[in-house]
Amino acid sequence: MEIERKYLVKTLPDNLEQYPHYEIEQAYLCTSPTLRIRRMGDEYILTVKERIITESKAIHNREEEFSLSPDSYKRLLAKCDSGHIAKTRYKIDLYRQTGNAIYQGLIAELDIFHGKHEGLLLVEVEFLYTDTANSFIPPDWFGEDVSADPMYRNSFLASMA
């Protein structure tokens, strides 16, 4: 089970290049359930996601991932009807970044989009428990909570021409 919240970004954190980061390319075979293919460096992944509707502020997904060969990835990419997404993902340990104990164990995944979504900045935080997600107080550099807004789902972004 994946439990997460998603935000726009007001300002980028200082010294962004100090955080681990990597390039991601992804595309979608279908969106209900979500079948996504992703390349991260030399890693290729097929993900099956199904959204679970809850009363929570957080997004809940049932998610399974499977490794792909580079050749399988290329063949599946050719079958994707929608466009693809290109982004750089930064992994930011919120406790180390802020020094605030309320962020102990929480990692922010900051996505800086490229190509047709150049300029879009989104940050997600995953949680172990729904209660923790619902009570989360975002750091100052986080912007509006867009967890419930379907326009900020990656599958929707990929479908935009």
Side-chain angles (χ1 to χ4, degrees):
M1 173 76 66
E2 175 186 67
I3 303 168
E4 65 186 14
R5 292 190 57 191
K6 184 182 290 192
Y7 299 84
L8 294 174
V9 176
K10 276 196 290 195
T11 57
L12 289 173
D14 291 335
N15 305 313
L16 191 58
E17 291 303 315
Q18 76 177 345
Y19 300 106
H21 57 281
Y22 44 90
E23 301 303 315
I24 294 176
E25 174 188 74
Q26 62 191 47
Y28 294 82
L29 293 157
C30 73
T31 57
S32 187
T34 299
L35 292 176
R36 176 187 73 204
I37 57 171
R38 176 182 276 176
R39 178 184 54 79
M40 295 187 306
D42 59 358
E43 188 177 0
Y44 301 87
I45 302 163
L46 169 68
T47 303
V48 180
K49 269 188 177 187
E50 186 174 14
R51 186 160 296 237
I52 300 167
I53 305 301
T54 69
E55 296 297 317
S56 171
K57 296 177 187 177
I59 300 166
H60 290 69
N61 290 310
R62 199 172 288 117
E63 180 177 284
E64 289 187 72
E65 293 186 334
F66 306 92
S67 291
L68 292 172
S69 69
D71 187 52
S72 294
Y73 175 82
K74 287 177 192 169
R75 283 184 284 160
L76 288 171
L77 185 60
K79 296 185 182 309
C80 291
D81 292 333
S82 66
H84 73 281
I85 291 175
K87 59 189 177 182
T88 304
R89 174 165 287 169
Y90 292 83
K91 291 197 165 254
I92 301 168
D93 181 325
L94 291 177
Y95 174 67
R96 284 188 58 213
Q97 190 231 4
T98 64
N100 191 328
I102 68 169
Y103 300 123
Q104 185 75 40
L106 295 178
I107 304 295
E109 294 182 337
L110 168 63
D111 289 339
I112 298 177
F113 288 79
H114 309 296
K116 65 183 172 185
H117 302 296
E118 191 74 38
L120 178 60
L121 307 172
L122 292 172
V123 62
E124 295 179 0
V125 179
E126 286 193 26
F127 304 90
L128 294 176
Y129 305 103
T130 301
D131 290 347
T132 309
N134 287 338
S135 64
F136 178 68
I137 300 167
D140 291 341
W141 59 274
F142 282 36
E144 178 186 353
D145 184 338
V146 294
S147 301
D149 190 336
M151 290 180 52
Y152 292 102
R153 290 185 189 156
N154 284 312
S155 58
F156 176 79
L157 294 171
S159 72
M160 294 174 56

